[in-house]
PDB file of all heavy atoms in Angstrom:
ATOM      1  N   CYS A 617       4.417 -11.647  10.768  1.00  0.00           N
ATOM      2  CA  CYS A 617       4.390 -11.628   9.326  1.00  0.00           C
ATOM      3  C   CYS A 617       5.384 -12.705   8.816  1.00  0.00           C
ATOM      4  O   CYS A 617       6.464 -12.651   9.211  1.00  0.00           O
ATOM      5  CB  CYS A 617       4.854 -10.202   8.936  1.00  0.00           C
ATOM      6  SG  CYS A 617       5.122 -10.005   7.073  1.00  0.00           S
ATOM      7  N   THR A 618       4.938 -13.462   7.861  1.00  0.00           N
ATOM      8  CA  THR A 618       5.842 -14.255   7.074  1.00  0.00           C
ATOM      9  C   THR A 618       5.557 -14.142   5.581  1.00  0.00           C
ATOM     10  O   THR A 618       4.537 -13.627   5.163  1.00  0.00           O
ATOM     11  CB  THR A 618       5.451 -15.775   7.441  1.00  0.00           C
ATOM     12  OG1 THR A 618       4.205 -16.007   7.252  1.00  0.00           O
ATOM     13  CG2 THR A 618       5.853 -16.047   8.855  1.00  0.00           C
ATOM     14  N   TYR A 619       6.553 -14.549   4.796  1.00  0.00           N
ATOM     15  CA  TYR A 619       6.425 -14.228   3.396  1.00  0.00           C
ATOM     16  C   TYR A 619       7.046 -15.447   2.514  1.00  0.00           C
ATOM     17  O   TYR A 619       7.754 -16.206   3.121  1.00  0.00           O
ATOM     18  CB  TYR A 619       7.263 -13.035   3.038  1.00  0.00           C
ATOM     19  CG  TYR A 619       8.874 -13.069   3.256  1.00  0.00           C
ATOM     20  CD1 TYR A 619       9.673 -13.598   2.105  1.00  0.00           C
ATOM     21  CD2 TYR A 619       9.453 -12.850   4.411  1.00  0.00           C
ATOM     22  CE1 TYR A 619      10.928 -13.737   2.514  1.00  0.00           C
ATOM     23  CE2 TYR A 619      10.698 -12.910   4.519  1.00  0.00           C
ATOM     24  CZ  TYR A 619      11.588 -13.380   3.617  1.00  0.00           C
ATOM     25  OH  TYR A 619      12.801 -13.591   3.744  1.00  0.00           O
ATOM     26  N   THR A 620       6.485 -15.483   1.398  1.00  0.00           N
ATOM     27  CA  THR A 620       7.145 -16.413   0.359  1.00  0.00           C
ATOM     28  C   THR A 620       7.483 -15.494  -0.748  1.00  0.00           C
ATOM     29  O   THR A 620       6.792 -14.548  -1.213  1.00  0.00           O
ATOM     30  CB  THR A 620       6.298 -17.457  -0.104  1.00  0.00           C
ATOM     31  OG1 THR A 620       5.093 -16.954  -0.586  1.00  0.00           O
ATOM     32  CG2 THR A 620       5.854 -18.389   1.056  1.00  0.00           C
ATOM     33  N   ALA A 621       8.683 -15.660  -1.352  1.00  0.00           N
ATOM     34  CA  ALA A 621       9.151 -14.773  -2.439  1.00  0.00           C
ATOM     35  C   ALA A 621       9.973 -15.526  -3.488  1.00  0.00           C
ATOM     36  O   ALA A 621      10.735 -16.455  -3.102  1.00  0.00           O
ATOM     37  CB  ALA A 621       9.975 -13.571  -1.908  1.00  0.00           C
ATOM     38  N   THR A 622       9.897 -15.245  -4.642  1.00  0.00           N
ATOM     39  CA  THR A 622      10.612 -15.828  -5.738  1.00  0.00           C
ATOM     40  C   THR A 622      12.024 -15.287  -5.901  1.00  0.00           C
ATOM     41  O   THR A 622      13.027 -16.117  -6.464  1.00  0.00           O
ATOM     42  CB  THR A 622       9.793 -15.692  -7.109  1.00  0.00           C
ATOM     43  OG1 THR A 622       9.688 -14.349  -7.311  1.00  0.00           O
ATOM     44  CG2 THR A 622       8.706 -16.528  -7.113  1.00  0.00           C
ATOM     45  N   GLY A 623      12.302 -14.189  -5.280  1.00  0.00           N
ATOM     46  CA  GLY A 623      13.591 -13.583  -5.436  1.00  0.00           C
ATOM     47  C   GLY A 623      14.025 -13.213  -3.976  1.00  0.00           C
ATOM     48  O   GLY A 623      13.515 -13.644  -2.932  1.00  0.00           O
ATOM     49  N   TYR A 624      14.936 -12.203  -3.901  1.00  0.00           N
ATOM     50  CA  TYR A 624      15.460 -11.710  -2.613  1.00  0.00           C
ATOM     51  C   TYR A 624      14.686 -10.416  -2.395  1.00  0.00           C
ATOM     52  O   TYR A 624      14.882  -9.414  -2.929  1.00  0.00           O
ATOM     53  CB  TYR A 624      16.908 -11.451  -2.745  1.00  0.00           C
ATOM     54  CG  TYR A 624      17.588 -11.330  -1.303  1.00  0.00           C
ATOM     55  CD1 TYR A 624      18.558 -12.269  -1.065  1.00  0.00           C
ATOM     56  CD2 TYR A 624      17.233 -10.459  -0.375  1.00  0.00           C
ATOM     57  CE1 TYR A 624      19.276 -12.144   0.246  1.00  0.00           C
ATOM     58  CE2 TYR A 624      17.913 -10.344   0.788  1.00  0.00           C
ATOM     59  CZ  TYR A 624      18.731 -11.174   1.116  1.00  0.00           C
ATOM     60  OH  TYR A 624      19.420 -11.064   2.323  1.00  0.00           O
ATOM     61  N   PRO A 625      13.674 -10.530  -1.427  1.00  0.00           N
ATOM     62  CA  PRO A 625      12.786  -9.285  -1.235  1.00  0.00           C
ATOM     63  C   PRO A 625      13.397  -8.255  -0.243  1.00  0.00           C
ATOM     64  O   PRO A 625      14.193  -8.558   0.640  1.00  0.00           O
ATOM     65  CB  PRO A 625      11.630 -10.045  -0.604  1.00  0.00           C
ATOM     66  CG  PRO A 625      12.165 -11.058   0.124  1.00  0.00           C
ATOM     67  CD  PRO A 625      13.247 -11.602  -0.524  1.00  0.00           C
ATOM     68  N   SER A 626      12.918  -6.960  -0.480  1.00  0.00           N
ATOM     69  CA  SER A 626      12.895  -6.036   0.541  1.00  0.00           C
ATOM     70  C   SER A 626      11.618  -6.188   1.326  1.00  0.00           C
ATOM     71  O   SER A 626      10.633  -6.450   0.810  1.00  0.00           O
ATOM     72  CB  SER A 626      13.048  -4.635  -0.033  1.00  0.00           C
ATOM     73  OG  SER A 626      14.357  -4.563  -0.738  1.00  0.00           O
ATOM     74  N   LEU A 627      11.639  -5.863   2.634  1.00  0.00           N
ATOM     75  CA  LEU A 627      10.472  -6.080   3.534  1.00  0.00           C
ATOM     76  C   LEU A 627      10.067  -4.742   4.170  1.00  0.00           C
ATOM     77  O   LEU A 627      10.996  -3.918   4.534  1.00  0.00           O
ATOM     78  CB  LEU A 627      10.796  -7.140   4.477  1.00  0.00           C
ATOM     79  CG  LEU A 627      11.116  -8.468   4.108  1.00  0.00           C
ATOM     80  CD1 LEU A 627      11.619  -9.430   5.115  1.00  0.00           C
ATOM     81  CD2 LEU A 627       9.994  -9.145   3.290  1.00  0.00           C
ATOM     82  N   PHE A 628       8.769  -4.578   4.411  1.00  0.00           N
ATOM     83  CA  PHE A 628       8.365  -3.322   4.802  1.00  0.00           C
ATOM     84  C   PHE A 628       7.096  -3.495   5.848  1.00  0.00           C
ATOM     85  O   PHE A 628       6.486  -4.563   5.779  1.00  0.00           O
ATOM     86  CB  PHE A 628       7.737  -2.416   3.630  1.00  0.00           C
ATOM     87  CG  PHE A 628       8.681  -2.174   2.513  1.00  0.00           C
ATOM     88  CD1 PHE A 628       8.826  -3.105   1.518  1.00  0.00           C
ATOM     89  CD2 PHE A 628       9.368  -1.027   2.437  1.00  0.00           C
ATOM     90  CE1 PHE A 628       9.581  -2.936   0.397  1.00  0.00           C
ATOM     91  CE2 PHE A 628      10.323  -0.953   1.405  1.00  0.00           C
ATOM     92  CZ  PHE A 628      10.443  -1.861   0.473  1.00  0.00           C
ATOM     93  N   TRP A 629       6.970  -2.586   6.720  1.00  0.00           N
ATOM     94  CA  TRP A 629       5.803  -2.310   7.433  1.00  0.00           C
ATOM     95  C   TRP A 629       5.303  -1.080   7.093  1.00  0.00           C
ATOM     96  O   TRP A 629       5.913  -0.007   7.196  1.00  0.00           O
ATOM     97  CB  TRP A 629       6.017  -2.427   9.039  1.00  0.00           C
ATOM     98  CG  TRP A 629       6.085  -3.909   9.473  1.00  0.00           C
ATOM     99  CD1 TRP A 629       7.107  -4.658   9.675  1.00  0.00           C
ATOM    100  CD2 TRP A 629       4.893  -4.792   9.641  1.00  0.00           C
ATOM    101  NE1 TRP A 629       6.807  -5.926   9.996  1.00  0.00           N
ATOM    102  CE2 TRP A 629       5.321  -5.976  10.023  1.00  0.00           C
ATOM    103  CE3 TRP A 629       3.570  -4.570   9.546  1.00  0.00           C
ATOM    104  CZ2 TRP A 629       4.595  -7.070  10.404  1.00  0.00           C
ATOM    105  CZ3 TRP A 629       2.721  -5.641   9.954  1.00  0.00           C
ATOM    106  CH2 TRP A 629       3.181  -6.856  10.305  1.00  0.00           C
ATOM    107  N   TYR A 630       3.871  -1.001   6.715  1.00  0.00           N
ATOM    108  CA  TYR A 630       3.132   0.253   6.469  1.00  0.00           C
ATOM    109  C   TYR A 630       2.148   0.321   7.631  1.00  0.00           C
ATOM    110  O   TYR A 630       1.625  -0.746   8.120  1.00  0.00           O
ATOM    111  CB  TYR A 630       2.566   0.184   5.138  1.00  0.00           C
ATOM    112  CG  TYR A 630       3.498   0.637   4.016  1.00  0.00           C
ATOM    113  CD1 TYR A 630       4.440  -0.182   3.457  1.00  0.00           C
ATOM    114  CD2 TYR A 630       3.430   1.991   3.495  1.00  0.00           C
ATOM    115  CE1 TYR A 630       5.262   0.102   2.427  1.00  0.00           C
ATOM    116  CE2 TYR A 630       4.247   2.462   2.527  1.00  0.00           C
ATOM    117  CZ  TYR A 630       5.225   1.491   1.998  1.00  0.00           C
ATOM    118  OH  TYR A 630       5.987   1.833   0.987  1.00  0.00           O
ATOM    119  N   VAL A 631       1.884   1.581   8.001  1.00  0.00           N
ATOM    120  CA  VAL A 631       0.648   1.893   8.924  1.00  0.00           C
ATOM    121  C   VAL A 631      -0.299   2.768   8.362  1.00  0.00           C
ATOM    122  O   VAL A 631      -0.031   3.684   7.495  1.00  0.00           O
ATOM    123  CB  VAL A 631       1.307   2.296  10.279  1.00  0.00           C
ATOM    124  CG1 VAL A 631       2.138   3.708  10.049  1.00  0.00           C
ATOM    125  CG2 VAL A 631       0.281   2.565  11.271  1.00  0.00           C
ATOM    126  N   GLN A 632      -1.593   2.453   8.538  1.00  0.00           N
ATOM    127  CA  GLN A 632      -2.682   3.349   8.150  1.00  0.00           C
ATOM    128  C   GLN A 632      -3.426   3.893   9.457  1.00  0.00           C
ATOM    129  O   GLN A 632      -4.132   2.951   9.928  1.00  0.00           O
ATOM    130  CB  GLN A 632      -3.518   2.522   7.214  1.00  0.00           C
ATOM    131  CG  GLN A 632      -4.538   3.420   6.566  1.00  0.00           C
ATOM    132  CD  GLN A 632      -5.517   2.655   5.608  1.00  0.00           C
ATOM    133  OE1 GLN A 632      -5.647   1.436   5.733  1.00  0.00           O
ATOM    134  NE2 GLN A 632      -6.174   3.371   4.649  1.00  0.00           N
ATOM    135  N   TYR A 633      -3.279   5.098   9.713  1.00  0.00           N
ATOM    136  CA  TYR A 633      -4.011   5.609  10.780  1.00  0.00           C
ATOM    137  C   TYR A 633      -5.499   6.042  10.206  1.00  0.00           C
ATOM    138  O   TYR A 633      -5.608   6.150   9.084  1.00  0.00           O
ATOM    139  CB  TYR A 633      -3.381   6.944  11.349  1.00  0.00           C
ATOM    140  CG  TYR A 633      -2.016   6.622  11.916  1.00  0.00           C
ATOM    141  CD1 TYR A 633      -0.861   7.006  11.239  1.00  0.00           C
ATOM    142  CD2 TYR A 633      -1.953   6.052  13.119  1.00  0.00           C
ATOM    143  CE1 TYR A 633       0.439   6.677  11.757  1.00  0.00           C
ATOM    144  CE2 TYR A 633      -0.640   5.685  13.755  1.00  0.00           C
ATOM    145  CZ  TYR A 633       0.456   6.031  13.049  1.00  0.00           C
ATOM    146  OH  TYR A 633       1.715   5.773  13.600  1.00  0.00           O
ATOM    147  N   PRO A 634      -6.427   6.033  11.089  1.00  0.00           N
ATOM    148  CA  PRO A 634      -7.809   6.360  10.685  1.00  0.00           C
ATOM    149  C   PRO A 634      -7.979   7.585   9.763  1.00  0.00           C
ATOM    150  O   PRO A 634      -7.382   8.647  10.048  1.00  0.00           O
ATOM    151  CB  PRO A 634      -8.618   6.624  11.920  1.00  0.00           C
ATOM    152  CG  PRO A 634      -7.777   5.723  12.982  1.00  0.00           C
ATOM    153  CD  PRO A 634      -6.252   5.880  12.592  1.00  0.00           C
ATOM    154  N   GLY A 635      -8.501   7.294   8.537  1.00  0.00           N
ATOM    155  CA  GLY A 635      -8.748   8.493   7.721  1.00  0.00           C
ATOM    156  C   GLY A 635      -7.614   8.915   6.914  1.00  0.00           C
ATOM    157  O   GLY A 635      -7.578   9.854   6.087  1.00  0.00           O
ATOM    158  N   GLU A 636      -6.453   8.179   6.979  1.00  0.00           N
ATOM    159  CA  GLU A 636      -5.262   8.574   6.249  1.00  0.00           C
ATOM    160  C   GLU A 636      -4.878   7.453   5.410  1.00  0.00           C
ATOM    161  O   GLU A 636      -5.208   6.328   5.225  1.00  0.00           O
ATOM    162  CB  GLU A 636      -4.134   8.767   7.284  1.00  0.00           C
ATOM    163  CG  GLU A 636      -4.490  10.026   8.205  1.00  0.00           C
ATOM    164  CD  GLU A 636      -3.310  10.359   9.077  1.00  0.00           C
ATOM    165  OE1 GLU A 636      -2.229   9.949   8.819  1.00  0.00           O
ATOM    166  OE2 GLU A 636      -3.582  10.995  10.124  1.00  0.00           O
ATOM    167  N   GLY A 637      -3.801   7.866   4.527  1.00  0.00           N
ATOM    168  CA  GLY A 637      -3.224   6.783   3.597  1.00  0.00           C
ATOM    169  C   GLY A 637      -2.115   5.962   4.427  1.00  0.00           C
ATOM    170  O   GLY A 637      -1.859   6.132   5.459  1.00  0.00           O
TER     171      GLY A 637
END
Side-chain angles (χ1 to χ4, degrees):
Chain A
C617 170
T618 57
Y619 66 89
T620 58
T622 51
Y624 198 121
S626 296
L627 301 174
F628 306 86
W629 278 99
Y630 277 81
V631 59
Q632 185 180 28
Y633 299 104
E636 299 183 17

